[in-house]
Amino acid sequence: MTDTATPNDPMQILSGALPFLKRYDDAIVVVKYGGHAMGEEETALRFGRDIALLEQVGVSPVVVHGGGPQINAMLKRLNVKSTFVQGLRVTDEEMLDVVEMVLAGPVNKQVAEAITRAGVLAVGISGKDGGLIRARKLNRTYRDPDSNIERVLDLGYVGEPASVDPKVLRLLIGADIVPVVAPVGVGEDGQTYNINADTAAGAIAGALGAERLLMLTDVPGVLDPEKRLIPEMSVAEVKHGIEAGWISGGMIPKVETCMYAVERGVKGAVILDGRVPHAVLRELFTDGGAGTLIRP
């Protein structure tokens, strides 16, 4: 949801937050963090401080992160060529090694370290740890414009969550440790899969029955046909927006993730601009919020 004021001091935000602190006491909040929202070092440190503050005031945050820019930089550095099918990048065996190395390695540990530096213990894991994310190969189809026949896209080792076992997350939360999850899963046959971070966050939020799923992105939220921010939408209203065509492009997978989570018990999912200072705190602890809330 949106607010005309944009306080930059977290203490200013928390000064009027008592009703919201009661609402979120002991509540699980899953935060998807990645892309442009990860930004520069100071942005990352500010995010770490905000997540640490959540834990300190009684919220139980779980962070799920992406790392597209970091993966691209490493692919370039290692001279690994990308293959695209219908505009989508294929994750072959060589690329999968790079994806796992970057996501479960430096990116994961940097996010966890930023939170720990702010005074709260955070532990970085991947979806492969503790049987967290059981994955399956993602099947995508497209309609051939020449023959009008539906064909299957083979994106290699790109997967989606088949199931989520949140036991390891609950153990960390119970010990007042913030879990930081890299979106990599493993199949029944032991095959590793690269999973979209938005999709992984939605599945984890659903499995935990989280109070909120916060999707930090590089847009203010869902915009109406006149390009105005919509503070709140029901699942039915989102489906109508997709059918009518004014929810389109890259926003569709984001709202689909939010609907998936809400339909599995998450109280509400929010798409908000992670580049805005203290966006997470503003969304949870101010009356106006900071993006578009999607509810049942």
Side-chain angles (χ1 to χ4, degrees):
M1 295 180 292
T2 188
D3 183 12
T4 54
T6 56
N8 288 322
D9 181 358
M11 293 302 105
Q12 182 183 350
I13 296 171
L14 291 178
S15 64
L18 184 57
F20 304 99
L21 292 175
K22 291 179 178 178
R23 176 192 299 175
Y24 292 110
D25 187 36
D26 286 333
I28 294 174
V29 174
V30 176
V31 182
K32 184 270 174 174
Y33 176 58
H36 295 286
M38 298 181 85
E40 300 174 351
E41 182 179 6
E42 180 50 41
T43 306
L45 292 175
R46 184 171 61 217
F47 173 80
R49 291 192 292 269
D50 287 352
I51 295 298
L53 186 56
L54 290 186
E55 205 282 332
Q56 290 166 336
V57 299
V59 181
S60 297
V62 175
V63 177
V64 182
H65 66 82
Q70 293 87 344
I71 292 171
N72 289 337
M74 184 59 74
L75 290 173
K76 184 176 180 180
R77 179 178 169 187
L78 298 176
N79 198 29
V80 176
K81 303 295 184 183
S82 296
T83 302
F84 292 86
V85 178
Q86 293 292 307
L88 298 172
R89 182 157 56 189
V90 176
T91 300
D92 59 21
E93 192 167 351
E94 184 180 20
M95 187 171 296
L96 180 64
D97 289 340
V98 176
V99 168
E100 184 173 14
M101 176 180 68
V102 173
L103 288 180
V107 174
N108 185 257
K109 305 316 172 192
Q110 285 164 9
V111 177
E113 195 275 334
I115 298 168
T116 300
R117 192 191 299 190
V120 168
L121 289 178
V123 169
I125 62 174
S126 82
K128 294 171 67 174
D129 295 318
L132 175 57
I133 301 178
R134 184 68 67 187
R136 60 178 170 238
K137 184 178 176 67
L138 177 64
N139 291 315
R140 285 280 187 91
T141 60
Y142 74 102
R143 192 165 295 280
D144 189 310
D146 297 323
S147 64
N148 204 33
I149 296 174
E150 195 170 75
R151 302 188 184 279
V152 176
L153 288 178
D154 186 354
L155 298 177
Y157 300 111
V158 175
E160 62 182 354
S163 62
V164 174
D165 183 350
K167 184 184 301 180
V168 66
L169 298 180
R170 293 195 184 279
L171 287 171
L172 291 170
I173 292 168
D176 295 328
I177 297 171
V178 177
V180 177
V181 183
V184 179
V186 63
E188 292 287 351
D189 59 355
Q191 175 61 54
T192 297
Y193 287 97
N194 173 25
I195 301 173
N196 177 274
D198 291 354
T199 306
I204 287 171
L208 287 169
E211 182 74 22
R212 283 286 186 272
L213 167 63
L214 304 184
M215 303 275 288
L216 301 187
T217 181
D218 57 355
V219 295
V222 181
L223 305 180
D224 68 15
E226 283 72 46
K227 305 304 179 186
R228 297 171 300 194
L229 178 66
I230 303 173
E232 189 170 327
M233 302 181 75
S234 67
V235 167
E237 288 169 336
V238 173
K239 291 179 178 177
H240 171 73
I242 294 173
E243 292 170 1
W246 53 266
I247 295 179
S248 61
M251 183 56 68
I252 290 180
K254 295 185 185 305
V255 297
E256 286 180 339
T257 293
C258 291
M259 290 191 293
Y260 174 94
V262 167
E263 289 169 347
R264 281 155 182 77
V266 176
K267 301 291 195 318
V270 186
I271 298 171
L272 65 161
D273 193 339
R275 300 168 301 179
V276 174
H278 311 299
V280 169
L281 301 183
R282 291 183 56 224
E283 174 55 39
L284 295 178
F285 299 138
T286 65
D287 192 44
T292 299
L293 169 67
I294 297 174
R295 52 174 174 73

